[in-house]
Amino acid sequence: MEQSGGVKVDRIKLCFCGPQEAGKSTLVETLQTGSFVAIFRDRMTPDDQPHEPTPGVNVGATKIPGVGQVSVWDFAGQSEYAVTHSMFMDAENTIFIVLYNIMVDPETQKKEVHWWLCFIKSCNTKSKPYVILVASHGDQTDTGRQQASVILQLMTSTFKDHLDISDEVFLLDCRKTRKTDMRRLKDLLARLKTKLLEHQRAIPKLCAEIMKCLPTWAKEKCSPKCPVLRWAEYKEAVMEMMGIEQLVNEDFLKTSSQYLAHLGEILFVSTPAEPIVILKPNWLCTDVFGKVMAPENFPIQHLRTSKDIVTKEEIQNVFQDVADVDLLITLLQEFQLCHTFDGQEFIIPGLLTQTMPPEKWVKTENPAKTVYFGRQVQCADTTDMFSSAFFPRVQTRLMRELKNRPLLWRDGAKCFDSNVESLIKLSPDGRAVNICVRSEQGDKPSCRQMLRKIEIILNNVLDEVSPGTATKERVLSARALREHREEIYSYSRDQINKAKAEDRIVHHDILGFSEDVDDLLYGGRDGDEEEQGAVGYTVQQTFNLVYGSGNVISSGDHARFDMATIVQGDLGQLQLEGNGPRDQGQPQLEGNVPGDLEQLQLEE
Ligand SMILES: Nc1nc2c(ncn2[C@@H]2O[C@H](COP(=O)(O)OP(=O)(O)O)[C@@H](O)[C@H]2O)c(=O)[nH]1
Ligand SMILES: [Mg+2]
C-alpha cells in the first residue's frame, strides 16, 4: 500500500470558536457566499435575523470563494458543550477563528476570548495553533476598532509562547459579504491555507480511495442509523475495496485514517480496545453530542435533567430516530463520557448539575485518631486551564477503576475503600484539583495507596484530554484538612524539598503554624512504610496506566506515555504486566503495588 504514492489534498480545517451569539454561524454562512449572490444577500437579508443556536458542532466540507476547499467546524458557544468540544480541537491542519461580540461589556469580551484561547491551548501540545481573532457586530459601533486592537494586543502578549495569533485587527458585520474587513479575512485565510498546505505531507493515495468510498460504506456497511465502523469492519471494507485478502501493514492504514481525520473527512477515535471510525463527523458532533450535552433551555430533545442519572429508556426516547441506541451507549462508554453499574442507569459526569453539599465531608466521629493528608494539582499559569473534558473524565475513571461506587457532584467526588475515604474537589475557579485522603482508623498505608491511585488517574486523564495544560503540584496542609477549614491551604514543592533537606518542618505563614513534612506526605511516619494498604480494584484487578489517546482526531499524538512523570523514577517498584482483559500491548499497573510515595510524588 505504501508504494501507492502520495497526493496533496487542497483542504484545511477552519474551527469557529467563541461565546454563544457572537456570530459564528452567521460568519460561516457569509464566508461561503459568492460575490454575485452577495450583492442580493447583503441588500435583502433583514437586519434582525433570528438566532438559531448550533447544537454541538456543525461540521461540513465547503468552498469559500477566494479561499477554496475547507472543512468547517462551527462550535456551539454554550459552555455545556465544551466537554465534548475538546475531542475536536486538534490543531493539525487547522486555523482557529475566535469570534467575540464587540458590543458586550469589554471585561466580558476579554474573559471570553481568554477562555477560548486557554481551551485551544489546553487541547494541543505539538504545534503553535494558528488563531485569528475576529470582533463581530462592527456595524453597531464607531469606536470598536480601538477596542478590538486592545484585545488583540493583550491576547497576543499573553499567549505569545503558545499560540500563533494573527496581528491583523478584524471588526466585522458578520452578515455582510462585501465589506473590506470580510475581504481581508478571506485574504488572510487564503494565505494561511497556502502556508499550512506547504507543510502538509502528501497523503497516501489510499486516503483518496477511501474518501471516495465513504458515502457508500455509510449506506451499506453500517447499521442504518449509525455511520460507524469498528476497526475490524473498516479494515474489511478497505480490503474489499483493494481486492486483497489481507492487509500487509495495518499501521499504515491507521496513519492514513488519521490523515483523513485531519482533513475532517472522518473521525478516527482511539479507544482502549480498538479504534472506531465515524464515517460522518456531523452525525457524532451534531446528532449525538448536540443532544447529549445540550443545555436545558435548548430547543431540541435532550438528555439533561435535574437528576444525575439517565435511564436507558430516556436515552431511547431522545435517540431512537438518529442512532442505534445500544451502539450509541457503547460509543459513549468508549469515549469515557458515561458509565453504568447495571446496564439500565447511566451516569454522564459531564451532565452533573449539583455541587457537593457541605455535609458530605464533615469531621469523623473520632477526630483524634483520624489521619488526613492530601495534594493539589494546580494550573501553572494564567494561560493554563483544565480542558472541559478533564474533570468529567476523571469521574468516569473513578467509577470504572475503584472498587466501590463513588459519590459524584459537578465539582467533586467522594470515594471509599476499606479504611479510607477520599475527597477529590475542584477549586471554585476550576483551576486546581484538591485530593484529600483520610482514615478514621489511622490506616496510613491504605491512605497512601488511595492517594497514589487517584494521582495516577488524574495524570493519565490530563495527558489524554488536556495535554497542553501545565500544572504544579502542591502539598495540602494536613492540619488544616483535619480542622476542616473552609479554605484549602497548601505548601509548594520547593518548601517541602527545602524542609526535607533541613529539619523536616515547614511553616505556613497564613495559618501561623508549622507542620512535619512526614505528616504532610504520608500522614506521619511510624515504621509502617513498607506495609501494604488494603485498597482494592475493580473486577479486572488492574487499571490501565495509559489508555489510547482520548483525543479523537489525533490518536497517538497525545498518547504520551510519560512513565517518568507518573511514577517519578520509581519503576523498579512497579510491576508491569500485560495480560489484562483489555490488554492491547499497553502496559498495565498491577494493583496493590508498594512504593515510595515520597519519591513518587515529589522528586523530579
Ligand atoms: N448586527 C449584527 N448582527 C449579527 C452579527 N453577527 C451575527 N449577528 C446576529 O446575531 C445573532 C447570533 O448569530 P449566530 O451566528 O447565530 O451566533 P453564534 O451563536 O455565534 O453562531 C443572529 O441573530 C445574527 O443575525 C453582526 O456582525 N452584526
Ligand atoms: Mg452558532
Side-chain angles (χ1 to χ4, degrees), residues 113-159:
V113 172
H114 185 267
W115 187 91
W116 278 94
L117 298 181
C118 287
F119 188 31
I120 295 168
K121 182 198 165 204
S122 75
C123 299
N124 288 287
T125 47
K126 266 195 5 184
S127 52
K128 256 179 147 184
Y130 282 121
V131 175
I132 305 174
L133 290 191
V134 174
S136 68
H137 293 73
D139 50 301
Q140 298 177 342
T141 164
D142 294 327
T143 54
R145 197 163 294 275
Q146 169 69 11
Q147 164 69 2
S149 158
V150 168
I151 294 218
L152 179 62
Q153 274 172 26
L154 179 67
M155 298 305 154
T156 308
S157 71
T158 311
F159 289 90

Side-chain angles (χ1 to χ4, degrees), residues 210-221:
I210 294 176
M211 262 161 82
K212 280 189 230 149
C213 292
L214 292 173
T216 325
W217 292 350
K219 249 189 244 147
E220 293 172 4
K221 300 206 178 291

Side-chain angles (χ1 to χ4, degrees), residues 16-29 45-54 74-78 99 101 103 135-140 171-176 182:
F16 293 82
C17 307
Q20 63 191 73
E21 295 193 46
K24 300 177 293 296
S25 304
T26 308
L27 177 59
V28 167
E29 213 188 309
T45 314
D47 275 354
D48 50 348
Q49 288 265 70
H51 162 66
E52 275 184 38
T54 311
D74 178 10
F75 288 86
Q78 288 75 7
L99 230 81
N101 181 343
M103 296 309 291
S136 68
H137 293 73
D139 50 301
Q140 298 177 342
L171 181 65
L172 301 182
D173 178 346
C174 294
R175 304 161 305 170
K176 303 280 195 261
M182 193 66 79

Side-chain angles (χ1 to χ4, degrees), residues 464-478:
E464 291 164 17
V465 295
S466 206
T469 310
T471 57
K472 291 191 281 214
E473 197 196 60
R474 296 176 65 87
V475 177
L476 299 186
S477 158

Side-chain angles (χ1 to χ4, degrees), residues 180-298:
T180 317
D181 275 27
M182 193 66 79
R183 289 198 187 107
R184 278 201 302 118
L185 177 62
K186 284 189 187 177
D187 288 347
L188 176 61
L189 287 174
R191 287 200 305 277
L192 286 178
K193 182 178 173 187
T194 311
K195 215 161 146 184
L196 276 169
L197 291 183
E198 267 169 24
H199 297 287
Q200 189 195 65
R201 285 163 294 177
I203 68 161
K205 266 193 185 145
L206 176 66
C207 292
E209 297 298 315
I210 294 176
M211 262 161 82
K212 280 189 230 149
C213 292
L214 292 173
T216 325
W217 292 350
K219 249 189 244 147
E220 293 172 4
K221 300 206 178 291
C222 304
S223 118
K225 288 186 221 150
C226 289
V228 178
L229 290 179
R230 295 195 166 269
W231 184 245
E233 300 161 337
Y234 176 73
K235 242 169 37 185
E236 214 164 272
V238 172
M239 289 186 297
E240 193 186 301
M241 173 189 88
M242 298 170 71
I244 53 174
E245 297 277 302
Q246 212 169 1
L247 275 188
V248 189
N249 187 347
E250 203 168 316
D251 283 342
F252 182 71
L253 179 59
K254 283 191 182 155
T255 318
S256 305
S257 307
Q258 277 165 10
Y259 279 134
L260 288 175
H262 290 146
L263 295 173
E265 282 292 318
I266 58 168
L267 294 174
F268 183 75
V269 188
S270 250
T271 73
E274 53 167 19
I276 295 175
V277 180
I278 315 277
L279 304 180
K280 292 184 182 169
N282 210 39
W283 171 79
L284 185 71
C285 294
T286 306
D287 294 349
V288 176
F289 291 160
K291 291 183 168 189
V292 175
M293 303 313 299
E296 218 167 348
N297 57 1
F298 231 60

